[in-house]
Amino acid sequence: MTGAPLDIVVFGLSLSSSWGNGHATTWRALLKAFAARGHEVLFLEREAPWYAAHRDLEAPDWGELAFYSDLSQLEAWRERVANADAVIVGSYVPDGAAVGRWVQRTAKGAPCFYDIDTPVTLAKLERGEADYLTPDLIPGYRRYFSFTGGPTLERLERRYGSPAARALYCSADEEIYRPTPAPARWDLSYIGTYSADRQPLVEALLVEPARRAPALRCVVAGPQYPPDLDWPDNVQLIRHVPPADHPAFYAASRYTLNLTRRDMARAGWSPSVRLFEAAACGTPIISDTWEGLDDLFTPGEDIFTARTADDVLDALLSTEDVRQRVGAHGRKRILDAHTAAHRAYTLEVELRAAAAQPQAAPAQVLKLA
């Protein structure tokens, strides 16, 4: 810790349930590491039946988790929000724009936004479809933390008036995501919720290789895949793997895929949380390609890249020495720069800087330039 302890309040999509979203594991790793630096954390989560039915974290031992059922219940937290050193609103929070306006009116500390979906958010803003963020709110957030780096940060500042857009990539909790001895069950695995714009990559880089090489053992793990999809016989479908089982899942995979949604691939510099978690487990990754990937990993050294099914099959034919070396180098890259502790340090430094800035006018009177 670099100063006095901070007290922060977070409004996020979900901390309690990892079902169908990567937000939960991202928030858990970041806030656990932040609390370990001596800070206080309160996470406020909107009740949702689909998450309530699939909770895998009831009460974190590093902070508070509380629920609210509608916007009227925010008043119960007014004093806590008002007195916090910083209040962070996350992407995809239900009625997040209304929550953000209330936070910007109420917080005496630094209101901030953490976008774990930045390219998708910006595409929604252009279409006027984002109900968790509106353009007029952005100047009122002293920090716009973005899981996307690169040119997107400048766009947020110049086009949308963010006082300070900062990359805050996802990470891996190094205490959880680590190599685990296990017999190999699959040659190629993939964890990811179904997304229509990502499915062509699943088809090209997992299904097609599986069809060409029937001896391969492949698995896709994630919810919401339509029942009418045509999977080859050598592709197993698992509806959900809880985070606690991710290290064992990766350990049972000789290789694992990282696949990126269309908007995120176009923006570049948008590494998914699964990319960091799999690498931390020492499992060699085969990733689709996008700008900025080689700023985070070195293709051929600590990650494989693929554009076609042939590229995937070539990677799978690597010698065992190469497979183990790439996996080990990938894990070292995470431990050197991409653990939750690294992100918590960045968050603390930026929140302290944000607290020293004057607050912008309330969101309702701001106009997008």
Side-chain angles (χ1 to χ4, degrees):
M1 187 166 59
T2 58
L6 298 174
D7 179 12
I8 72 167
V9 177
V10 176
F11 291 87
L13 173 63
S14 180
L15 188 75
S16 70
S17 174
S18 63
W19 186 84
N21 78 89
H23 287 229
T25 50
T26 296
W27 281 121
R28 291 173 191 178
L30 175 64
L31 297 178
K32 174 186 171 185
F34 188 76
R37 295 181 62 82
H39 306 303
E40 297 293 324
V41 177
L42 166 64
F43 191 99
L44 294 174
E45 178 176 334
R46 177 78 166 262
E47 286 276 19
W50 48 90
Y51 292 141
H54 298 89
R55 283 184 179 147
D56 45 22
L57 180 65
E58 294 288 346
D61 57 9
W62 42 259
E64 295 178 72
L65 168 60
F67 300 89
Y68 62 99
S69 59
D70 56 48
L71 295 174
S72 67
Q73 292 193 345
L74 295 184
E75 288 300 316
W77 301 99
R78 174 176 289 277
E79 184 176 355
R80 186 70 180 272
V81 168
N83 295 324
D85 294 297
V87 183
I88 304 173
V89 180
S91 52
Y92 274 93
V93 167
D95 296 315
V99 172
R101 289 188 181 91
W102 182 81
V103 165
Q104 290 187 14
R105 290 195 306 267
T106 305
K108 299 173 186 174
C112 302
F113 189 77
Y114 186 20
D115 202 336
I116 306 176
D117 309 273
T118 312
V120 174
T121 298
L122 294 182
K124 286 177 174 288
L125 288 176
E126 293 295 329
R127 299 191 300 265
E129 295 177 358
D131 63 356
Y132 55 85
L133 183 69
T134 54
D136 63 301
L137 278 167
I138 295 175
Y141 285 123
R142 295 191 205 173
R143 287 293 183 278
Y144 192 119
F145 295 113
S146 169
F147 106 128
T148 296
T152 295
L153 302 176
E154 184 178 1
R155 181 183 175 193
L156 285 164
E157 292 179 352
R158 291 194 174 185
R159 169 72 178 90
Y160 290 99
S162 169
R166 300 287 186 263
L168 190 65
Y169 293 128
C170 301
S171 65
D173 182 338
E174 65 273 28
E175 294 180 0
I176 296 174
Y177 291 90
R178 56 196 310 155
T180 303
R185 295 178 57 191
W186 305 291
D187 297 298
L188 184 62
S189 68
Y190 171 65
I191 294 182
T193 301
Y194 172 79
S195 173
D197 69 342
R198 188 166 48 200
Q199 188 60 19
L201 283 174
V202 177
E203 296 285 339
L205 301 183
L206 187 141
V207 174
E208 182 60 23
R211 287 199 173 106
R212 292 192 194 178
L216 288 177
R217 300 161 298 167
C218 304
V219 60
V220 173
Q224 302 179 34
Y225 284 87
D228 58 350
L229 289 178
D230 182 21
W231 301 102
D233 290 341
N234 58 336
V235 176
Q236 180 183 359
L237 183 63
I238 300 175
R239 292 298 178 185
H240 178 61
V241 178
D245 296 336
H246 284 184
F249 178 89
Y250 288 126
S253 308
R254 295 184 63 248
Y255 295 82
T256 194
L257 277 174
N258 174 73
L259 302 177
T260 310
R261 292 188 62 179
R262 185 183 302 119
D263 287 335
M264 297 172 182
R266 286 174 178 167
W269 290 271
S270 297
S272 74
V273 66
R274 305 295 175 232
L275 180 62
F276 295 122
E277 291 173 350
C281 289
T283 299
I285 297 167
I286 304 172
S287 178
D288 61 330
T289 60
W290 31 268
E291 272 196 277
L293 177 61
D294 55 3
D295 287 350
L296 302 165
F297 293 86
T298 303
E301 291 294 323
D302 44 37
I303 197 169
F304 295 95
T305 58
R307 297 180 184 274
T308 67
D310 287 336
D311 295 335
V312 173
L313 292 170
D314 286 346
L316 294 176
L317 289 174
S318 300
T319 66
E320 183 63 13
D321 284 348
V322 169
R323 188 188 76 83
Q324 291 189 12
R325 187 191 75 227
V326 170
H329 286 188
R331 173 168 166 77
K332 184 177 186 303
R333 181 61 66 97
I334 300 305
L335 296 180
D336 286 348
H338 301 296
T339 66
H342 288 102
R343 302 294 183 259
Y345 172 78
T346 298
L347 180 63
E348 178 185 325
V349 169
E350 290 295 337
L351 290 181
R352 291 193 189 282
Q357 291 180 211
Q359 175 63 350
Q364 64 265 31
V365 303
L366 292 168
K367 301 295 182 183
L368 181 62

